[in-house]
Every structure is written in structure tokens, then in C-alpha cells.
Amino acid sequence: MGEKKRLGVGVISLGWMGRLHTRSYKAVAEYFPELGVEVELVAAADPIDSVREEATGKLGFKRAYADYHELLADPEVDIVSIASPNFLHKEIALAAIAAGKPFWIEKPMGVSAEQSREIAQAAEKAGLVSAVGFNYRHTPAIEYMRTLVREGKLGRLTNVRVWFIADYNSSPLSPLTWRASKEKAGAGVVPDLMSHGADLAQYIVGRIASVSAITDTFITERPIPTKMGVGHSGFEIGDEVGEVENEDYVAMLVRFDNGVVGTLESSRVSVGPRAEYVVEVYGTEGSARWNFERLNELEVCLGVDGGATHGYTRAMANPAWGQWSRFQPAIGTSMGFDDMKVVEAAQFIESVLTGKQLAPSAADAWCAAEVDEATVASAADGQWHEVARVEGNTTFDK
């Protein structure tokens, strides 16, 4: 075997997602040995003292910085993960680009389509590959659903249904975090959850061309936290409340470039569904349905007249689907959310090593942000809105 290629990693912001990036980098050598890469955890950046201590004491980083600029200036850092809150994405991403560091960034890639455009165009001008956290793309069942569509097994596509319904903010006692701020998050559930749904729809079916939408905010005030947490947990609240500035719910009608129509819906306050993220694709000769809560299954119906037992077949993830065989030895053994991030990390690293954009790109994130922008605009004026076209190295259409 040849000598392994070394890539020094820097991770900016070590919340839940930053730690998941860290674990994913560690797993690449095991699950994708053909890349021949040795990933070294060089540095982490986080403003919290205790987190920096964990970074070097438990997570395996060589050093930790309070200021991310120091991480970007570290000569041993070759690639960067950006797992900070939305409102910091633009400044950190542009700083990473200026430092010449390929980056893996979480979505949404800013608080507006304008910010996403700036990042995507700057990365392409600098000749840097990127990766964006559209991890649901890498689910083996989704990859197989896309294959069915692209090979014409469902016939001519007619319509699509996508809903991303969750309950993580369903309690009125859930704290008022940055996600409820227009300045820090931009819109609410549209970029937070529905951007995933829109990306999946585009990845499977094609570009969304126009949107008609309604939104609403069902819980208009939330308690202000007295102690901050990580992600959606660990907060403590007091009696003082503040205003929720963006939407809890969105419903959309969409038209695709190829004539397919769709309905998309998302909520962060629904009582009951924990993470009911569903994609259904219908065609003249069949259909397929997937639910993240049963992510290792795909319901498929092929043909229009299968006789007395006509209907859906429930198929389990297997070696014919995506990267499943790298992770599990036998059909019926399940993959999980974290595995999809390992696939994403591997795509990012292969993109860096080859110079070819294989991972979901900054241009893909810009494209999703333009869908978000059209959605918010439509909800404001009640009209259909065209989705602005992006110029860049998108991967959803390849």
C-alpha cells in the first residue's frame, strides 16, 4: 500500500454538530480505506473554556483556540468544519476562504440567500471545494429512490410530497434561543427544517422553479433562558418571556423545472411527530415512499396492475443501496443518523483530494437558500414567486 495522505482538520464550534463532525472524520479511515487518507485532529475553536478543555482532553485535538482566526492561521490545518450558529456562518466561511481552506459547513449557510450567494461565489472564485450538511441525501434508501427516478422505473413523474414535521419546539416552555431571532437565524422553520426537504426534493426530482407558500407562528412568546444549552437541550429558563420573530410552520406548493408539481410542509411545533421527515415520489408507473423515522426502509410500488396483492413492498436497506454495505454486514441491521455524516465527511475529503466537487456544495446550499427566500416572500404577499437561478458547481443535478 502507498503512503497515506495526511489532512489536518480544524473544527470551529464544538456543539452537538461540531462533535459529530469530529467523530465522522475519525471514522473515514475505517469505512473508506480506499481514500488512503490519515485525518489528524489538529485544532478546535470554541469560546467556552470547558469545551476547549474537552477538545484536547477527550476528543483528541492537539490544541484548542478561543478565537477561530487562530485556527484558520494554523499552518497544520488543511481543511475546516464550520458548525457554528447560522449568524456566524458568513463571516467564518469567508475567513476560511480567504485563508485558502476548503470547508464543510452546516446548513443553512447564512441567514439569507444573499449571504449564501456570497459564500458560494467566493469559494468558487478561490477554486475551493466545499461540503454542506445535507446529510439526508446520503441515506441509502434515498439514494436508491433517486436511482429509481433517474432510471425511469417510476415512469413519468407526476407529483411529489415532502414533509419535515418535528416536535422539538412544541412545548411553549421551550426556551427562546437564537433560532427564534430574525437577525441570528433569518427565517424560522423554513431554513431550519424545510431547506432539508427542498434539497431532497431537488436531489431526487430536479430544480424547484417556483413556489406558493403560507407560514404561521403558533407559539409567539417563549421564556428567555437563564442558562444556555447545546443544540435543543440543556437550557434553564426564568419567568421573563420574549418574542418569537420567525415562523413555526410552512406549507408550500411548488413547480419543478421538469413539470412535476409538489406539496411541501414543515413544522417545528407539531405535537406527536418526533422527526417525521417524509419523501414520497409518484409516477405513471410506480411510486416510492420514505420516512426518516424508519430510515432503513423504503416502500416501493412498481406497475399499475399487480393483481390481487398489488400495493407497496417494504424493502430493507441492502448492499444495492448507496453506501450501506460499508457499514453493515447483513440485511436487517440498521444504519443511523451519524453514519450519514460519515458518508458526508468521506465525500468532502475525496473532493479535497481529487479537486472534484463530490459532496453537496456551497452552490447547493445557495440553491436551497433561494427556495427559502422565494418561500418567505410568497408567504408575505400571497403570490407565486419564481426561484432565482444560481450559477455554480451544484451537485443535486448530477
Side-chain angles (χ1 to χ4, degrees):
M1 293 181 64
E3 185 178 347
K4 287 192 173 183
K5 310 173 191 74
R6 176 200 168 275
L7 280 179
V9 167
V11 177
I12 298 173
S13 189
L14 278 179
W16 167 62
M17 189 53 70
R19 291 167 193 244
L20 180 49
H21 278 223
T22 301
R23 294 195 300 274
S24 299
Y25 283 125
K26 291 178 181 178
V28 166
E30 176 183 352
Y31 291 109
F32 294 84
E34 75 278 7
L35 293 180
V37 65
E38 179 183 346
V39 178
E40 182 179 9
L41 299 179
V42 173
D46 199 284
I48 301 174
D49 294 344
S50 61
V51 171
R52 293 197 303 277
E53 291 172 5
E54 273 193 277
T56 55
K58 295 181 180 179
L59 301 181
F61 288 95
K62 292 172 65 176
R63 44 190 170 270
Y65 301 109
D67 186 341
Y68 74 83
H69 292 95
E70 293 184 69
L71 181 149
L72 293 175
D74 191 320
E76 290 190 62
V77 172
D78 300 307
I79 59 177
V80 176
S81 275
I82 302 170
S84 56
N86 303 359
F87 60 94
L88 295 173
H89 281 179
K90 177 187 170 183
E91 69 171 69
I92 297 175
L94 293 181
I97 293 166
K101 313 283 189 182
F103 60 94
W104 176 13
I105 190 170
E106 281 305 312
K107 46 60 57 194
M109 202 172 61
V111 298
S112 66
E114 174 63 22
Q115 288 192 1
S116 294
R117 180 189 64 79
E118 287 186 55
I119 295 169
Q121 290 185 334
E124 294 215 6
K125 184 177 180 180
L128 295 174
V129 300
S130 55
V132 178
F134 289 130
N135 48 283
Y136 298 104
R137 282 191 190 188
H138 313 306
T139 307
I142 289 292
E143 294 284 23
Y144 187 65
M145 180 188 284
R146 187 176 194 253
T147 298
L148 290 174
V149 169
R150 298 300 169 104
E151 292 182 352
K153 298 294 178 62
L154 304 184
R156 177 179 59 83
L157 293 190
T158 55
N159 62 293
V160 180
R161 298 176 66 210
V162 178
W163 65 96
F164 270 54
I165 307 293
D167 71 345
Y168 65 81
N169 240 7
S170 58
S171 170
L173 297 180
S174 294
L176 187 75
T177 70
W178 61 267
R179 295 178 188 275
S181 164
K182 284 187 177 179
E183 178 185 0
K184 294 183 176 181
V189 75
V190 171
D192 190 21
L193 282 183
M194 184 43 73
S195 62
H196 276 301
D199 179 71
L200 282 182
Q202 295 191 126
Y203 184 59
I204 295 168
V205 177
R207 178 183 172 272
I208 293 173
S210 58
V211 177
S212 176
I214 58 171
T215 61
D216 209 333
T217 306
F218 300 140
I219 300 177
T220 58
E221 291 183 333
R222 293 189 178 277
I224 296 171
T226 55
K227 176 187 174 184
M228 301 306 293
V230 175
H232 299 294
S233 62
F235 292 85
E236 294 179 4
I237 59 173
D239 295 329
E240 189 177 358
V241 298
E243 180 188 1
V244 175
E245 298 175 352
N246 49 32
E247 77 288 343
D248 288 332
Y249 174 84
V250 60
M252 303 154 60
L253 297 175
V254 303
R255 296 188 182 102
F256 293 80
D257 273 343
N258 54 15
V260 178
V261 296
T263 59
L264 284 71
E265 184 182 19
S266 190
S267 172
R268 62 186 180 187
V269 296
S270 295
V271 177
R274 306 315 309 263
E276 194 171 85
Y277 307 156
V278 176
V279 180
E280 298 182 348
V281 182
Y282 295 88
T284 56
E285 297 176 23
S287 64
R289 308 191 301 191
W290 173 80
N291 184 344
F292 173 69
E293 291 186 351
R294 299 187 298 276
L295 66 87
N296 290 281
E297 302 176 16
L298 186 68
E299 289 186 297
V300 181
C301 181
L302 297 178
V304 295
D305 184 11
T309 59
H310 181 67
Y312 283 103
T313 296
R314 183 179 69 93
M316 293 293 293
N318 63 76
W321 296 6
Q323 302 292 342
W324 181 87
S325 61
R326 294 181 183 272
F327 293 85
Q328 297 300 345
I331 297 171
T333 306
S334 297
M335 289 176 66
F337 181 92
D338 289 14
D339 295 326
M340 313 316 160
K341 297 304 277 190
V342 176
V343 176
E344 197 165 274
Q347 286 189 350
F348 175 43
I349 287 172
E350 187 173 359
S351 298
V352 172
L353 295 176
T354 63
K356 298 178 182 179
Q357 184 64 56
L358 304 171
S361 66
D364 287 307
W366 174 20
C367 189
E370 291 291 1
V371 176
D372 296 344
E373 197 101 334
T375 299
V376 172
S378 174
D381 66 15
Q383 304 298 312
W384 276 89
H385 277 252
E386 298 295 315
V387 176
R389 289 188 177 273
V390 308
E391 297 178 0
N393 196 2
T394 55
T395 66
F396 73 85
D397 48 359
K398 294 179 180 176

